[in-house]
Amino acid sequence: MTPPTLVATESATWTWTIVETSFSGGNPWGERAYAPTDTAATPVIVVDLRAVRQTILGFGGALTESAAWALSQLSPETRAGVIARCFDPADGLRYTLARTHINSCDFSLSTWSLDETPGDFDLAEFTLEPMRTWVMPLVHEAFAAAGGKLQLLASPWSPPAWMKTTGKMCHGGELRPDCRDAWARFYVKFITALRDEEQIPVWGLTVQNEPAAVQVWESCVYSAEAERDFVRDHLGPALAEAGLADVRLMVWDHNRDLLLERGTAVLSDPKAAAFVWGTALHWYMSEDFSQTADLHAAFPDKHFVFSEGCWEGGAKPGQWDRGARYARNIIGDLRNWVEGWIDWNLALDLKGGPNHVGNFCDAPVLVDTEKGEAIYQSSFYYLGHFSRYFRPGAQIVASEGEAGGLHHVAALNPDGTLAVVIHNESSRAVAFRLVIGEEELSTEIPALAIQTYLRAPRG
């Protein structure tokens, strides 16, 4: 497999670099040189540098127990290579965000919590020990590969079983009313333990992964009002009292189809909203990208992070549509005020696990445990078209034009470089003109392809 190709060209004012990943014949990583096309008959995409929107935090992937286990099946050298290809700030995907789970999740080897002692309301038995075999080594390696510049988001799938109305971490249930205060202090314990024992800072926190779903795996149900009240009366005050008000607290952490409704329910309460930095979202039920735009219009001081998305139904090595869904969703989110985008499992085995309830999924990196090899899916390279070239601090700028059904988004980086991603999901090549002020690039994108156009000042 050949990685995406970079081809440079120059205009009177700017140097253009074109990065392309395309499906062509039997070689899914075929290279293509840049060649101008006839401008007269092509549609136009216009980038307006004056129309500035949100500032980008970055991109990343999830450091789950399953990802850690899958990567541990590789040789130390190959494992380090995979982690570097994700997090290295020069040669990798340049990930600056990561997510991990508080207690176990479906992508764990079993069900466990960090305090298994029933009735331990003082959390005297809280311990990070269940994370030390698989999760913690991967977290440390990711931070090291990123040069320490990694922002970690932590999310719980369920409180310990003894805090639940059902007495079980799996199959839904709710947080017991008499455990609300202890559960809020549990988050504080987790954040301070990572900081003090592991020297790992927690950048962000979500209240609950998928609070509207009763899953066969670890899950806990909150109504909109229950989440609001827990934030306002318990979690927010606990974080503030512990001096952790700078940890970015996010609500919802579920599918974007109900984001406006659930976000509004919390943010309409001034006391709850005072503790909330923003809203997290997933892609599983909807591609209604207007949900974030509408919530932004109502609460423009709040923020959005895409916290989870993956292909369900197991791993499909080499299947090209893996990347296209990522591109379509990332572009739709970035055009609608999302600031950070975190993929789900960093890596999985060829079955799409391990997953202790059989909820197998795909991942950008698959591990052939028998051969000891890593397989990079199209989604890995498609993600790189954003994560490598939309740098933290970049600002999304407007791009308009119905250019042959192409998806597009543009960002102006802190160093002055303009990055424009063009995605062609169709089975035909599309010629178009890319216009920025008085500058124009006449070009073409192949079928089933993604391109990143980078414009930098000459000299």
Side-chain angles (χ1 to χ4, degrees):
M1 286 189 178
T2 306
T5 181
L6 285 77
V7 181
T9 187
E10 293 185 355
S11 70
T13 310
W14 306 97
T15 297
W16 288 89
T17 301
I18 303 165
V19 186
E20 179 181 295
T21 300
S22 65
F23 180 88
S24 56
N27 181 2
W29 300 114
E31 296 187 358
R32 172 186 180 273
Y34 167 72
T37 61
D38 180 7
T39 62
T42 57
V44 177
I45 295 173
V46 178
V47 176
D48 185 355
L49 300 180
R50 300 165 300 177
V52 178
R53 298 178 181 172
Q54 76 274 26
T55 299
I56 294 298
L57 291 166
F59 299 82
L63 310 175
T64 63
E65 188 174 35
S66 294
W69 180 90
L71 290 170
S72 74
Q73 306 308 298
L74 300 170
S75 69
E77 181 180 10
T78 303
R79 172 188 170 99
V82 172
I83 295 169
R85 289 192 69 177
C86 292
F87 293 98
D88 188 280
D91 299 326
L93 293 183
R94 302 176 180 171
Y95 278 173
T96 57
L97 300 175
R99 185 182 185 219
T100 198
H101 43 94
I102 303 173
N103 299 330
S104 61
C105 66
D106 51 326
F107 282 94
S108 296
L109 305 186
S110 63
T111 298
W112 47 264
S113 81
L114 303 177
D115 191 337
E116 299 279 12
T117 305
D120 183 23
F121 290 95
D122 292 332
L123 305 179
E125 302 302 318
F126 179 95
T127 176
L128 292 178
E129 199 58 35
M131 300 181 71
R132 297 197 194 281
T133 301
W134 305 109
V135 181
M136 273 302 131
L138 178 57
V139 172
H140 282 289
E141 290 168 55
F143 266 86
K149 297 180 179 179
L150 191 62
Q151 295 172 317
L152 183 65
L153 175 66
S155 303
W157 268 242
S158 174
W162 59 270
M163 291 190 184
K164 301 280 293 295
T165 55
T166 57
K168 299 177 181 179
M169 289 181 66
C170 300
H171 301 281
E174 299 177 11
L175 176 64
R176 283 170 39 185
D178 62 328
C179 291
R180 289 169 185 162
D181 180 64
W183 181 227
R185 288 184 287 105
F186 194 106
Y187 297 74
V188 171
K189 284 282 243 184
F190 180 83
I191 295 168
T192 56
L194 255 65
R195 180 194 66 198
D196 298 342
E197 299 176 27
E198 300 290 335
Q199 291 74 56
I200 295 294
V202 172
W203 168 85
L205 182 69
T206 66
V207 178
Q208 169 64 43
N209 178 74
E210 301 187 346
V214 176
Q215 308 282 23
V216 298
W217 55 85
E218 293 85 341
S219 46
C220 185
V221 177
Y222 290 78
S223 67
E225 295 74 21
E227 185 173 21
R228 176 199 65 200
D229 294 352
F230 179 64
V231 167
R232 182 191 63 210
D233 301 334
H234 301 278
L235 182 54
L239 292 170
E241 184 178 344
L244 299 173
D246 60 335
V247 175
R248 292 147 185 84
L249 182 61
M250 294 168 233
V251 297
W252 189 221
D253 201 10
H254 205 166
N255 298 327
R256 58 169 81 89
D257 61 328
L258 296 178
L259 182 142
L260 178 61
E261 174 188 330
R262 291 292 297 242
T264 299
V266 178
L267 298 177
S268 294
D269 184 316
K271 291 183 178 179
F275 296 115
V276 176
W277 178 83
T279 306
L281 60 142
H282 302 178
W283 76 13
Y284 299 107
M285 292 294 293
S286 170
E287 292 190 2
D288 179 8
F289 303 111
S290 67
Q291 290 271 324
T292 45
D294 291 344
L295 191 60
H296 170 79
F299 305 96
D301 60 326
K302 301 303 182 183
H303 307 266
F304 299 100
V305 168
F306 181 93
S307 56
E308 182 186 320
C310 71
W311 277 91
E312 299 174 284
K316 300 291 189 297
Q319 190 163 311
W320 188 258
D321 62 357
R322 308 291 92 172
R325 185 179 182 187
Y326 277 80
R328 190 173 64 246
N329 277 266
I330 295 172
I331 291 171
D333 283 332
L334 295 184
R335 291 179 63 87
N336 288 277
W337 299 98
V338 171
E339 300 169 28
W341 213 94
I342 306 174
D343 182 34
W344 191 205
N345 296 280
L346 200 70
L348 293 172
D349 65 21
L350 290 184
K351 193 172 183 178
N355 183 291
H356 71 88
V357 292
N359 181 38
F360 300 116
C361 296
D362 213 331
V365 180
L366 297 176
V367 174
D368 186 328
T369 58
E370 292 186 2
K371 295 181 179 179
E373 297 176 352
I375 299 167
Y376 294 89
Q377 297 277 70
S378 62
S379 50
F380 177 89
Y381 290 109
Y382 272 54
L383 274 161
H385 277 266
F386 303 91
S387 62
R388 285 182 57 81
Y389 307 110
F390 284 27
R391 304 306 300 138
Q395 291 183 295
I396 297 297
V397 294
S399 62
E400 304 298 336
E402 297 296 328
L406 302 179
H407 307 291
H408 50 85
V409 66
L412 189 62
N413 284 300
D415 65 358
T417 303
L418 174 70
V420 185
V421 173
I422 310 293
H423 176 222
N424 182 13
E425 205 169 350
S426 74
S427 57
R428 61 181 180 84
V430 177
F432 64 97
R433 283 182 293 152
L434 185 60
V435 177
I436 304 99
E438 296 182 357
E439 289 288 328
E440 179 177 302
L441 188 69
S442 180
T443 187
E444 181 179 272
I445 184 169
L448 304 175
I450 186 169
Q451 296 173 327
T452 301
Y453 290 79
L454 300 169
R455 189 188 78 161
R458 288 188 67 182

